[in-house]
């Protein structure tokens, strides 16, 4: 029986160069900086230009993470990509990324669980390493949601942004990595976040374009109602399962969808707000990229360091959720 753990030894992010402020959005849709700031906390988001893609942003974030880790593409033995906005539905973007990075013909696959994707993928990477056979796994969260948004729908388009971040998970003998985790899904809420003509059920046609089914549709109020208790319950579960208390958690990194969701969850659980990482004001909701971008910034800003214990919690389309207590 081996005693392997998967420690995060590298992290990095890549954001589109173009920043769109709330004031910029005021010129496009019937909204206001005041409404967006008050209801969501979001002040700006990064949006891709024509030459930026899911694959290129992912490669940028991956190179940054490998640089911090001090490893190269030839050291990798698995790539897991969390995204719901790949360059193409086929081929999988994970293989494009593997080739663009210059990694050898290692395994690479894409995990599609909406905003929950990165935390789910990190849990998987940790389990692959613990089982033996893998030394360095690259885990990427990347999203180009802007190309799937209806820029005439003020209910959705103001909330999201594009971005990517990656971590390198390395095998070690020291106790670290995922100490506890929870994964959940409730398909009864599927219609609350849906991209109707994004798959095989509703192929593209003049009708799907006229009905704007080619864009993501969301029932924000229902998602809000779902998100707040799910963060609270998941936090309680993973902390208890790890045999810890809230005092042992150095930083909570929740999915960055809306500052009000995070504040409400903090109140509900009585988790201290000064130990919650929030950067949604700068990026909007970057879906599967939001937790790894936040984790990367937490490292960069000295909010976390090796040996710290963090809780990561994400929720999103499905509906789905995932949480993990991770020792860095
Ligand atoms: C979307 C969200 C910000 C809306 O906030 P809210 O306080 O629930 O607002 P409501 O849905 O009650 O809408 C209030 C009004 O604002 C309007 N409104 C919606 N978007 C607007 C915008 N961008 N600008 C101005 N007004 C807007 C609505 O039309 C509504 O008007 P009405 O009362 O005349 O119908 C909020 O529900 C939310 O963040 N939900 C979670 C979404 C999310 O995180 N999704 C991704 C999860 S992974």
């Amino acid at each position: 029986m081996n005693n392997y753990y998967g420690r995060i030894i590298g992290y990095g992010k890549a954001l589109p160069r173009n920043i769109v402020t709330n004031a910029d959005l005021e010129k496009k849709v019937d909204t206001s900086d005041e409404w967006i700031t008050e209801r969501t906390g979001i002040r700006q988001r990064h949006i891709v230009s024509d030459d930026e893609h899911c694959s290129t942003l992912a490669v940028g974030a991956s190179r940054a993470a490998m640089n911090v880790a001090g490893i190269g593409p030839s050291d990798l033995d698995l790539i897991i990509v969390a995204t719901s906005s790949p360059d193409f539905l086929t081929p999988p973007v994970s293989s494009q990324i593997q080739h663009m990075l210059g990694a050898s013909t290692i395994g690479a696959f894409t995990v599609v669980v909406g905003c929950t994707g990165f935390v789910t993928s990190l849990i998987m990477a940790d389990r692959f390493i613990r089982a033996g056979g893998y030394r360095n796994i690259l885990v990427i969260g990347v999203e180009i949601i802007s190309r799937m948004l209806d820029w005439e729908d003020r209910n959705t388009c103001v909330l999201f942004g594009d971005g990517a971040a990656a971590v390198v998970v390395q095998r070690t003998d020291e106790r670290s990595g995922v100490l506890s985790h929870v994964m959940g899904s409730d398909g009864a809420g599927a219609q609350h976040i849906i991209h109707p003509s994004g798959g095989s059920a509703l192929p593209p046609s003049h009708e799907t374009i006229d009905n704007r089914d080619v864009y993501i549709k969301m029932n924000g109020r229902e998602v809000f109602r779902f998100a707040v208790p799910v963060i609270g319950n998941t936090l309680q579960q993973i902390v208890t399962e790890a045999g810890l208390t809230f005092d042992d958690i150095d930083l909570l990194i929740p999915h960055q969808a809306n500052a009000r969701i995070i504040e409400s969850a903090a109140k509900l659980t009585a988790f201290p707000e000064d130990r919650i990482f929030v950067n949604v004001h700068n990026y909007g909701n970057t879906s599967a990229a939001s937790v790894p971008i936040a984790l990367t910034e937490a490292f960069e800003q000295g909010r976390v360091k090796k040996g710290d214990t963090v809780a990561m919690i994400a929720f999103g389309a499905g509906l789905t959720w995932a949480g993990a207590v991770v020792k860095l």
Side-chain angles (χ1 to χ4, degrees):
M1 187 56 192
N2 58 52
N3 265 324
Y4 297 142
Y5 300 96
R7 164 170 281 148
I8 294 174
I9 59 152
Y11 47 82
K13 65 184 194 292
L15 279 312
R17 57 182 174 273
N18 183 33
I19 293 176
V20 175
T21 64
N22 292 349
D24 295 328
L25 285 181
E26 283 178 355
K27 294 174 203 142
K28 280 184 145 194
V29 283
D30 180 17
T31 189
S32 66
D33 174 41
E34 195 192 355
W35 191 95
I36 301 171
T37 308
E38 268 180 16
R39 303 291 180 117
T40 71
I42 300 165
R43 295 184 178 276
Q44 62 172 48
R45 69 288 291 144
H46 292 245
I47 300 290
V48 282
S49 305
D50 290 348
D51 61 335
E52 293 171 311
H53 303 286
C54 179
S55 55
T56 60
L57 278 196
V59 165
S62 301
R63 289 200 175 121
M66 285 192 289
N67 196 29
V68 171
I71 66 161
S74 58
D75 299 309
L76 295 174
D77 38 32
L78 185 66
I79 299 173
I80 308 178
V81 183
T83 188
S84 294
S85 45
D87 289 10
F88 310 102
L89 274 185
T90 304
V93 73
S94 34
S95 296
Q96 286 178 269
I97 294 166
Q98 170 257 321
H99 177 66
M100 288 162 75
L101 283 173
S104 57
T105 53
I106 53 171
F109 60 88
T110 305
V111 172
V112 186
V113 219
C115 306
T116 308
F118 175 80
V119 178
T120 305
S121 300
L122 183 66
I123 294 164
M124 292 167 76
D126 184 274
R127 266 38 192 173
F128 272 115
I129 284 185
R130 283 183 187 228
Y134 293 92
R135 282 180 189 276
N136 291 304
I137 303 182
L138 180 65
V139 184
I140 306 165
V142 53
E143 218 77 75
I144 311 298
I145 266 319
S146 67
R147 296 218 176 107
M148 298 176 168
L149 290 175
D150 184 346
W151 287 95
E152 291 180 13
D153 176 11
R154 67 180 185 173
N155 291 295
T156 52
C157 74
V158 304
L159 302 175
F160 294 93
D162 302 329
V167 298
V168 175
V169 183
Q170 187 171 67
R171 188 167 95 188
T172 170
D173 296 334
E174 266 178 83
R175 187 171 175 273
S176 55
V178 176
L179 305 183
S180 65
H181 76 271
V182 160
M183 292 193 283
S185 110
D186 182 5
Q191 75 281 9
H192 296 321
I193 310 176
I194 186 161
H195 187 178
S197 184
S200 57
L202 208 55
S205 66
H206 289 292
E207 206 183 342
T208 59
I209 292 175
D210 291 345
N211 291 341
R212 307 191 82 73
D213 285 333
V214 289
Y215 302 118
I216 289 173
K217 296 176 195 270
M218 188 180 67
N219 182 339
R221 230 174 268 183
E222 285 298 330
V223 176
F224 198 108
R225 206 169 291 155
F226 149 77
V228 174
V230 117
I231 296 178
N233 294 340
T234 302
L235 179 64
Q236 195 66 63
Q237 281 176 46
I238 55 178
V239 169
T240 306
E241 193 191 312
L244 303 174
T245 68
F246 285 177
D247 288 346
D248 301 309
I249 304 298
D250 296 298
L251 195 66
L252 168 60
I253 302 179
H255 172 43
Q256 308 286 315
N258 179 328
R260 274 171 53 225
I261 291 179
I262 297 172
E263 283 158 21
S264 305
K267 279 201 187 83
L268 186 73
T269 53
F271 192 92
E273 287 200 37
D274 62 340
R275 281 192 276 133
I276 303 180
F277 193 85
V278 181
N279 65 0
V280 68
H281 46 283
N282 284 331
Y283 302 111
N285 179 350
T286 57
S287 188
S290 106
V291 169
I293 290 174
L295 175 66
T296 296
E297 294 203 329
F299 269 115
E300 290 169 349
Q301 295 168 13
R303 298 274 308 266
V304 292
K305 58 183 186 316
K306 186 178 174 187
D308 282 357
T309 304
V310 299
M312 303 180 203
I313 296 177
F315 56 87
L319 299 166
T320 56
W321 60 96
V325 171
V326 180
K327 191 166 167 56
L328 299 175

